[in-house]
Amino acid sequence: MLRNLTIGPTGVLKRSENQANEFATRMLDRVGLSDKSDAYPAHLSGGQQQRVAIARALCMEPDMMLFDEPTSALDPELIGEVLDVMRGLADDGMTMMVVTHEISFAKEVADRVVFMDGGVVVAEGPPHDVLANPQTDRAKQFLRQIADR
């Protein structure tokens, strides 16, 4: 798996193999998978695979990360693993744009929330304003449905 994390840095960023391996190892440790550097993707859980994907992106040293429903295909017990990694990134100041239905995570981590419906912005602002005190009927309806689950 380590090679999966070093292809970008060596090919695109022109890092040496040693530099890339060292950094990739640190990124695997950051996502809690330092013991899986020799594992094949098929031998990892969905949560582990998602964390490897985050580590792979981090190996490119991005200024910003984009997440599109990072927990959507995961079993409930694995969701926390991924959200913990993302929480750590937020705590470290990583700018992230996250498309998610994990409302409690958005309330906790987001600086700004944009609620969209059918590709149209329905509400936007600080998490408390948009999620805890929704002003539009559509946002209220959606949040009620999520709470009923």
Side-chain angles (χ1 to χ4, degrees), residues 25 31 40 43-44 52 57 59 63 70 73 75 85 90-91 95 99-100 102-105 119 129 131 135 137 140:
T25 300
V31 300
Y40 288 98
H43 298 148
L44 301 175
V52 167
C59 284
D63 293 326
D75 293 334
V85 169
D91 290 345
T95 300
V99 176
T100 188
E102 299 290 338
I103 302 304
S104 60
F105 177 74
D129 294 349
L131 301 173
Q135 299 299 306
D137 290 338
K140 288 176 187 176

Short mmCIF file of all heavy atoms in Angstrom, two decimals, residues 25 31 40 43-44 52 57 59 63 70 73 75 85 90-91 95 99-100 102-105 119 129 131 135 137 140:
data_model
loop_
_atom_site.label_atom_id
_atom_site.label_comp_id
_atom_site.label_asym_id
_atom_site.label_seq_id
_atom_site.Cartn_x
_atom_site.Cartn_y
_atom_site.Cartn_z
N THR A 25 4.65 7.27 5.34
CA THR A 25 4.59 6.55 6.61
C THR A 25 4.03 7.45 7.71
O THR A 25 3.20 7.02 8.52
CB THR A 25 5.99 6.03 6.99
OG1 THR A 25 6.43 5.13 5.95
CG2 THR A 25 5.97 5.29 8.31
N VAL A 31 -3.39 8.93 10.17
CA VAL A 31 -4.76 8.42 10.02
C VAL A 31 -4.97 7.11 10.78
O VAL A 31 -5.98 6.44 10.62
CB VAL A 31 -5.17 8.27 8.53
CG1 VAL A 31 -5.09 9.61 7.81
CG2 VAL A 31 -4.34 7.22 7.82
N TYR A 40 -2.83 -4.98 1.45
CA TYR A 40 -3.50 -4.75 0.17
C TYR A 40 -4.87 -4.15 0.45
O TYR A 40 -5.50 -4.47 1.47
CB TYR A 40 -3.65 -6.07 -0.60
CG TYR A 40 -2.36 -6.59 -1.15
CD1 TYR A 40 -1.64 -7.57 -0.47
CD2 TYR A 40 -1.85 -6.08 -2.34
CE1 TYR A 40 -0.44 -8.05 -0.98
CE2 TYR A 40 -0.64 -6.55 -2.85
CZ TYR A 40 0.05 -7.53 -2.17
OH TYR A 40 1.24 -7.99 -2.67
N HIS A 43 -7.73 -6.17 1.74
CA HIS A 43 -7.63 -6.67 3.10
C HIS A 43 -7.98 -5.62 4.15
O HIS A 43 -7.82 -5.87 5.35
CB HIS A 43 -6.22 -7.21 3.37
CG HIS A 43 -5.88 -8.37 2.49
ND1 HIS A 43 -4.59 -8.59 2.06
CD2 HIS A 43 -6.63 -9.35 1.94
CE1 HIS A 43 -4.57 -9.66 1.28
NE2 HIS A 43 -5.79 -10.12 1.19
N LEU A 44 -8.45 -4.46 3.71
CA LEU A 44 -8.80 -3.37 4.61
C LEU A 44 -10.31 -3.20 4.68
O LEU A 44 -11.01 -3.45 3.70
CB LEU A 44 -8.17 -2.06 4.13
CG LEU A 44 -6.65 -2.01 4.00
CD1 LEU A 44 -6.22 -0.69 3.39
CD2 LEU A 44 -5.99 -2.24 5.34
N VAL A 52 -7.01 5.52 4.17
CA VAL A 52 -5.87 5.45 3.26
C VAL A 52 -6.02 6.50 2.16
O VAL A 52 -5.06 7.17 1.78
CB VAL A 52 -5.72 4.04 2.64
CG1 VAL A 52 -4.74 4.06 1.48
CG2 VAL A 52 -5.26 3.05 3.69
N ALA A 57 -4.14 11.58 -0.19
CA ALA A 57 -4.32 12.99 -0.54
C ALA A 57 -3.36 13.87 0.26
O ALA A 57 -2.77 14.80 -0.28
CB ALA A 57 -5.77 13.40 -0.29
N CYS A 59 -0.48 13.16 1.28
CA CYS A 59 0.89 13.00 0.76
C CYS A 59 1.21 14.02 -0.33
O CYS A 59 2.39 14.29 -0.59
CB CYS A 59 1.09 11.58 0.23
SG CYS A 59 1.32 10.36 1.54
N ASP A 63 -3.35 22.39 0.08
CA ASP A 63 -3.78 23.52 0.90
C ASP A 63 -5.22 23.33 1.35
O ASP A 63 -5.64 23.90 2.35
CB ASP A 63 -3.69 24.82 0.10
CG ASP A 63 -2.25 25.19 -0.22
OD1 ASP A 63 -1.37 24.91 0.60
OD2 ASP A 63 -2.03 25.75 -1.31
N PRO A 70 -17.84 11.38 2.57
CA PRO A 70 -16.76 10.44 2.92
C PRO A 70 -17.20 9.26 3.78
O PRO A 70 -16.47 8.28 3.89
CB PRO A 70 -15.76 11.32 3.68
CG PRO A 70 -16.58 12.44 4.21
CD PRO A 70 -17.65 12.69 3.18
N ALA A 73 -20.68 5.15 2.42
CA ALA A 73 -20.70 3.71 2.16
C ALA A 73 -20.18 2.88 3.34
O ALA A 73 -19.87 1.71 3.18
CB ALA A 73 -19.87 3.40 0.91
N ASP A 75 -20.14 1.25 7.32
CA ASP A 75 -20.95 0.76 8.43
C ASP A 75 -20.88 1.79 9.55
O ASP A 75 -19.86 2.48 9.70
CB ASP A 75 -20.40 -0.57 8.95
CG ASP A 75 -20.55 -1.70 7.94
OD1 ASP A 75 -21.47 -1.62 7.10
OD2 ASP A 75 -19.75 -2.64 7.99
N VAL A 85 -10.50 11.30 11.96
CA VAL A 85 -9.37 11.78 11.15
C VAL A 85 -9.68 13.17 10.61
O VAL A 85 -8.84 14.08 10.69
CB VAL A 85 -9.06 10.80 9.99
CG1 VAL A 85 -8.09 11.42 9.00
CG2 VAL A 85 -8.50 9.49 10.54
N ALA A 90 -9.22 19.24 10.81
CA ALA A 90 -9.82 20.54 11.12
C ALA A 90 -9.09 21.20 12.29
O ALA A 90 -8.78 22.39 12.25
CB ALA A 90 -11.31 20.37 11.45
N ASP A 91 -8.79 20.41 13.31
CA ASP A 91 -8.06 20.93 14.47
C ASP A 91 -6.68 21.47 14.09
O ASP A 91 -6.19 22.42 14.70
CB ASP A 91 -7.91 19.86 15.56
CG ASP A 91 -9.22 19.51 16.24
OD1 ASP A 91 -10.21 20.27 16.10
OD2 ASP A 91 -9.25 18.46 16.91
N THR A 95 -8.07 23.41 5.60
CA THR A 95 -9.29 23.88 4.97
C THR A 95 -9.93 22.70 4.26
O THR A 95 -9.27 22.00 3.48
CB THR A 95 -8.99 25.00 3.95
OG1 THR A 95 -8.37 26.08 4.66
CG2 THR A 95 -10.25 25.48 3.26
N VAL A 99 -19.06 17.63 1.62
CA VAL A 99 -20.46 17.34 1.32
C VAL A 99 -20.83 16.19 2.24
O VAL A 99 -20.21 15.12 2.19
CB VAL A 99 -20.66 16.93 -0.16
CG1 VAL A 99 -22.11 16.54 -0.41
CG2 VAL A 99 -20.21 18.04 -1.08
N THR A 100 -21.81 16.41 3.12
CA THR A 100 -22.13 15.37 4.10
C THR A 100 -23.56 15.46 4.59
O THR A 100 -24.19 16.52 4.53
CB THR A 100 -21.16 15.44 5.30
OG1 THR A 100 -21.38 14.32 6.15
CG2 THR A 100 -21.34 16.72 6.10
N GLU A 102 -23.80 14.11 7.69
CA GLU A 102 -23.42 13.97 9.10
C GLU A 102 -23.57 15.34 9.76
O GLU A 102 -22.62 16.08 9.94
CB GLU A 102 -21.98 13.45 9.22
CG GLU A 102 -21.74 12.10 8.62
CD GLU A 102 -22.41 10.98 9.41
OE1 GLU A 102 -22.70 11.17 10.62
OE2 GLU A 102 -22.65 9.92 8.82
N ILE A 103 -24.81 15.65 10.13
CA ILE A 103 -25.15 16.98 10.63
C ILE A 103 -24.40 17.33 11.92
O ILE A 103 -23.90 18.45 12.07
CB ILE A 103 -26.68 17.11 10.83
CG1 ILE A 103 -27.42 16.84 9.51
CG2 ILE A 103 -27.03 18.48 11.39
CD1 ILE A 103 -27.00 17.72 8.35
N SER A 104 -24.30 16.38 12.84
CA SER A 104 -23.60 16.69 14.10
C SER A 104 -22.13 17.00 13.84
O SER A 104 -21.55 17.87 14.49
CB SER A 104 -23.76 15.56 15.11
OG SER A 104 -23.23 14.36 14.60
N PHE A 105 -21.53 16.31 12.89
CA PHE A 105 -20.14 16.58 12.53
C PHE A 105 -20.02 17.99 11.94
O PHE A 105 -19.12 18.75 12.30
CB PHE A 105 -19.64 15.53 11.52
CG PHE A 105 -18.25 15.77 11.03
CD1 PHE A 105 -17.16 15.53 11.85
CD2 PHE A 105 -18.02 16.23 9.74
CE1 PHE A 105 -15.86 15.76 11.40
CE2 PHE A 105 -16.74 16.45 9.28
CZ PHE A 105 -15.66 16.21 10.11
N GLY A 119 -29.37 21.60 -6.24
CA GLY A 119 -28.34 22.44 -6.83
C GLY A 119 -28.49 23.92 -6.54
O GLY A 119 -27.74 24.74 -7.06
N ASP A 129 -26.61 28.92 12.94
CA ASP A 129 -27.71 29.59 12.25
C ASP A 129 -28.40 28.67 11.26
O ASP A 129 -29.63 28.63 11.18
CB ASP A 129 -27.21 30.83 11.51
CG ASP A 129 -26.71 31.91 12.44
OD1 ASP A 129 -26.93 31.79 13.67
OD2 ASP A 129 -26.07 32.86 11.95
N LEU A 131 -28.04 25.15 10.92
CA LEU A 131 -28.43 23.81 11.36
C LEU A 131 -29.24 23.78 12.66
O LEU A 131 -30.15 22.98 12.79
CB LEU A 131 -27.17 22.93 11.51
CG LEU A 131 -26.35 22.77 10.24
CD1 LEU A 131 -25.06 22.04 10.54
CD2 LEU A 131 -27.14 22.07 9.16
N GLN A 135 -33.87 28.72 9.00
CA GLN A 135 -34.82 29.78 8.70
C GLN A 135 -35.76 29.45 7.54
O GLN A 135 -36.78 30.10 7.37
CB GLN A 135 -34.06 31.07 8.37
CG GLN A 135 -33.20 31.57 9.51
CD GLN A 135 -34.02 31.91 10.75
OE1 GLN A 135 -34.97 32.68 10.68
NE2 GLN A 135 -33.68 31.29 11.87
N ASP A 137 -38.20 26.75 5.22
CA ASP A 137 -39.02 25.56 5.39
C ASP A 137 -38.30 24.32 4.89
O ASP A 137 -38.38 23.25 5.50
CB ASP A 137 -40.36 25.71 4.65
CG ASP A 137 -41.28 26.73 5.31
OD1 ASP A 137 -41.09 27.00 6.52
OD2 ASP A 137 -42.17 27.26 4.62
N LYS A 140 -35.69 23.22 7.42
CA LYS A 140 -36.39 22.65 8.58
C LYS A 140 -36.86 21.23 8.27
O LYS A 140 -36.71 20.33 9.09
CB LYS A 140 -37.57 23.52 8.98
CG LYS A 140 -37.17 24.82 9.61
CD LYS A 140 -38.40 25.68 9.89
CE LYS A 140 -37.98 27.06 10.37
NZ LYS A 140 -39.12 27.95 10.56
#
